[in-house]
Amino acid sequence: MQLGRVKPKGESWVNTAGEVIPMKWRDETVGIIGLGYVGLPLAIAFAESGATVIGVDVSQERVQSLKQGRSYLTDVPDEEIASVLGRFHPTTDYSTLRDCDAVIICVPTPLAKTGEPDISYILSAAEDFRPHLRRGMLIVLESTTYPGTTEELLKPMLEETGLKAGVDFNLAFSPERIDPANKQWTLKNTPKIVGGLTPECTMRAKALYERVVEDVYPVSSPKVAEMTKLLENTFRAVNIALVNEFAILCRRMGISVWEVIDAASTKPFGFMRFEPGPGIGGHCIPIDPLYLAWKAREFNHEARFIRIADAINRQMPEYVVSLIADALNDHGKPLRGSRILLLGIAYKPEVNDYRESPGLALVELLQRKGSYVCYHDPYVPEVHHNGWMMKSVELTEDELAKSDCVVIVTAHKFYNWGWVVAHSPLVVDTRGVTRKMNAHNVVRL
Ligand SMILES: NC(=O)c1ccc[n+]([C@@H]2O[C@H](COP(=O)([O-])OP(=O)(O)OC[C@H]3O[C@@H](n4cnc5c(N)ncnc54)[C@H](O)[C@@H]3O)[C@@H](O)[C@H]2O)c1
């Protein structure tokens, strides 16, 4: 197949060789690099669509688990993996990607300790994949990153093979919008953005994703697609910071922020509900806006909204510690030596993901003050972080009763809040789940 500039022509398109390619043209062998929260559901979706899927991950443990039909994600049941194992081939071997028509990169994009983007995972995936790049392939980057990554970083790396992007192979960016534990908006019914290096790259990426997504929305370039994802996540970070600020102010003014939010939410237009909490977590909202803030400096622009939102959100765990200290103080107890039980350590309900979770910051801040801290989370049996490890305790009436303070960190549906409040001497509720209860032992954010 020869690639090149295309002219859309109804339900088909024409490449530079004059070949008419139907729009529903299908890439039959799809490679996915990185089988995490984003890559694994995508791999399963492509396999379910009938494609052969090669899933490459550097983690031998994850690959072994998948080969045995065992999932490591709460959103993906074992049966789903078992049902596609004939077409889904997990491996650590990059060379198996050489027979793929399309390869999608879904590796992590965290922050370095200095707060700057750490794109080393993209670099290493591109480097390991490069020897297996073939003429005619479509390469799509899905990892959230700063605008320009696909064109300024990935393209030159892949072109070191001598093949030219947009001519010998197609290249596009398509941000993932997966929302773990969201049963209403799934990979299938959430519109997907694609932005290719050339119109042909875009159309090919669109055709690829139409196998698994109902609605694919093309944009004019990878940069636009990269920026779109950052607008979406910055929008969330900024609005969460705004309600967090309202929560702090409302408490000072003796107003319930929860009642205010419930009331404002009755407005059918011009208002969107966001809720305060002990901080933000996960691999997206606390991180992605900082990728943009970093890139903005190259253009002599200080992304002020992002910096302020980040500062407010990052300060929330300390604010919650001050609430716990005040609440204990009212019971005649200091933080030092008090037994504090955190309910939930995952960053949001119904997931086992505790990356960047505010619960981790709470453990460290409270321990630094001399408190004895333990946690319970139905989804997270143990936590490994910053060189420490902790196991979830059993949640019993006795465990609640012997705690000096129980802190509601994650509003998992598992919990019966009435039961928690009834058996705990003191509760600090950072999620507003007790707001309808008339209980004297509860302090709310
Ligand atoms: N988790 C989400 O809800 C979400 C939503 C939208 C976008 N994203 C973005 O998607 C990307 C992936 O996030 P995730 O949550 O799936 O991460 P993850 O940590 O769950 O999964 C990443 C996987 O990649 C593997 N990996 C790391 N380096 C590799 C390499 N060089 N080659 C092959 N495999 C490698 C890891 O072992 C891991 O299994 C990130 O850029 C993230 O910002 C995540």
Side-chain angles (χ1 to χ4, degrees), residues 34 36-38 57-58 62 94 109 124 143-144 176 283-284 355:
Y37 286 92
V38 169
D57 201 288
V58 283
R62 288 195 154 188
Y94 266 86
T109 41
S124 128
S143 303
T144 309
E176 181 48 67
H283 187 25
C284 296
R355 289 175 296 178

Side-chain angles (χ1 to χ4, degrees), residues 306-360:
I306 294 177
R307 295 289 175 203
I308 291 171
D310 182 56
I312 294 174
N313 290 332
R314 254 169 234 280
Q315 177 215 330
M316 289 311 287
E318 277 179 47
Y319 179 69
V320 169
V321 169
S322 76
L323 288 186
I324 299 168
D326 288 351
L328 282 169
N329 188 52
D330 288 345
H331 282 230
K333 294 176 183 174
L335 275 176
R336 178 167 300 280
S338 283
R339 188 180 171 90
I340 297 175
L341 170 63
L342 307 182
L343 293 185
I345 198 94
Y347 82 94
K348 70 174 210 165
E350 295 16 286
V351 300
N352 64 353
D353 189 354
Y354 58 86
R355 289 175 296 178
E356 312 288 326
S357 173
L360 302 172

